[in-house]
Amino acid sequence: SGYTKRILLDTILEDIYIYWNEPAKLRTGFRVENNVVSVPCFFYKIDGQFINDFEFQRLVKFCTESKNTLFFNDGRISSMNEESDDMYSLMFCQLSDGTFDVEEIKKSRVYTLGKYNEELQDLLLNKFNQFIKENKILKMSFDKKLSLKLLALILYLNESIIRIIDNFDFVFSIPKIVIYLNGEDTINEWMVILLCYLHNIGIDIVIFNPSGSFNINKYIKENKIVINRLEEIRYDCKFDEIINYKQSFFSRIMNK
């Protein structure tokens, strides 16, 4: 039980190897006040890659193969895409201050989270209200349409993401999402907003963007995400090629 407050880990890239698998309680900035747990978490975008493919492969594998990690080879983390009648049916749950009545949402015919425990449901919905009310991360403001869209995205969130949040104990292992964008792929506006919402819960998020084509700063306020630019921009780099990269015998000898 309880609530989270995300603390951005504003660190150098090498610190991923130090903190990525560390429990929340051992990260700088962690604290508990009453029932609120401050969770230091990563929100990283990594542009380009190392000239040494093996070094880049090591970083990608370290992030994607760690425990409690979900990997997406694109930005699709919710099955909701286009506007729908389901989305607009939720407008009757909105209150005068722009937030939504949590209990009314639960009564909606389009509500999808009822099979989960009440604490998880309340966390997801209360975090939604906090996110649209405070809006400390996004550059755009939340009008009625944007609020409804985010709520629908949450209700149609990838089920595996809901499950890792359900297992999030706030103190120990932190859920992680890693996204690798092939070539010049980008993430659409709606998925960026959803990623920011998930970061606000306290989830570690790393986006690999070897082409550097995805301009996330178009959506996110300054200093709310850490962006690292590596040695070389590659416009045709694909996850399968990097993850299956094999060093030559000569390269292995030289690296020893």
Side-chain angles (χ1 to χ4, degrees):
S1 62
Y3 208 58
T4 59
K5 176 183 178 182
R6 64 111 182 98
I7 305 292
L8 177 65
L9 274 173
D10 189 2
T11 63
I12 61 174
L13 184 65
E14 288 76 11
D15 285 337
I16 285 182
Y17 289 112
I18 298 172
Y19 293 114
W20 185 249
N21 290 315
E22 288 285 283
K25 66 177 183 177
L26 295 183
R27 293 182 175 186
T28 302
F30 174 83
R31 65 180 179 273
V32 179
E33 296 178 281
N34 299 320
N35 69 332
V36 178
V37 182
S38 293
V39 181
C41 52
F42 288 98
F43 195 11
Y44 258 50
K45 178 173 178 279
I46 301 173
D47 291 339
Q49 69 174 74
F50 295 114
I51 293 175
N52 184 321
D53 286 337
F54 179 71
E55 187 179 359
F56 187 57
Q57 181 196 63
R58 174 174 173 258
L59 177 62
V60 173
K61 280 189 172 183
F62 182 81
C63 291
T64 57
E65 296 178 0
S66 58
K67 293 181 179 179
N68 207 25
T69 299
L70 297 176
F71 173 69
F72 296 88
N73 205 177
D74 55 30
R76 297 289 309 153
I77 57 175
S78 172
S79 59
M80 173 65 74
N81 188 21
E82 302 298 329
E83 295 175 19
S84 68
D85 292 339
D86 286 353
M87 167 182 156
Y88 285 104
S89 70
L90 294 164
M91 66 187 297
F92 300 105
C93 304
Q94 193 166 24
L95 303 172
S96 59
D97 67 351
T99 62
F100 287 70
D101 187 316
V102 168
E103 295 308 316
E104 287 301 314
I105 294 173
K106 292 178 180 179
K107 296 175 186 175
S108 169
R109 65 176 178 80
V110 300
Y111 188 61
T112 59
L113 305 177
K115 67 179 180 179
Y116 299 103
N117 67 72
E118 287 292 329
E119 288 179 354
L120 175 61
Q121 294 179 55
D122 289 342
L123 175 67
L124 293 172
L125 296 177
N126 289 328
K127 273 293 181 180
F128 161 70
N129 273 331
Q130 179 197 41
F131 188 71
I132 63 173
K133 187 174 182 178
E134 296 180 357
N135 192 16
K136 294 181 178 180
I137 301 177
L138 295 167
K139 288 183 175 179
M140 70 278 286
S141 57
F142 276 96
D143 55 18
K144 178 171 288 190
K145 179 179 178 181
L146 188 57
S147 299
L148 286 170
K149 181 67 176 185
L150 176 57
L151 179 55
L153 287 168
I154 294 168
L155 296 183
Y156 287 88
L157 193 62
N158 185 296
E159 193 169 66
S160 60
I161 297 177
I162 298 176
R163 288 173 178 173
I164 64 169
I165 297 173
D166 193 19
N167 283 289
F168 187 16
D169 53 24
F170 303 165
V171 175
F172 296 101
S173 181
I174 297 178
K176 308 174 192 305
I177 293 174
V178 178
I179 295 171
Y180 189 104
L181 298 176
N182 289 321
E184 297 182 65
D185 290 350
T186 61
I187 302 175
N188 70 41
E189 178 184 39
W190 302 118
M191 295 302 133
V192 172
I193 295 170
L194 186 55
L195 283 172
C196 290
Y197 159 80
L198 292 170
H199 169 60
N200 196 55
I201 292 176
I203 293 178
D204 284 332
I205 298 172
V206 170
I207 302 167
F208 287 98
N209 183 209
S211 72
S213 299
F214 172 43
N215 180 20
I216 201 169
N217 289 125
K218 178 181 177 181
Y219 309 105
I220 298 179
K221 295 177 182 177
E222 188 178 356
N223 300 324
K224 298 302 180 182
I225 184 171
V226 177
I227 299 179
N228 281 276
R229 186 180 176 96
L230 304 184
E231 300 163 339
E232 186 176 45
I233 294 294
R234 292 193 187 174
Y235 295 99
D236 59 352
C237 185
K238 294 181 172 57
F239 173 76
D240 288 343
E241 294 172 357
I242 280 295
I243 213 69
N244 294 315
Y245 171 75
K246 302 290 185 183
Q247 276 190 306
S248 67
F249 176 76
F250 180 74
S251 295
R252 290 197 300 272
I253 294 297
M254 293 297 291
N255 285 328
K256 286 184 178 181

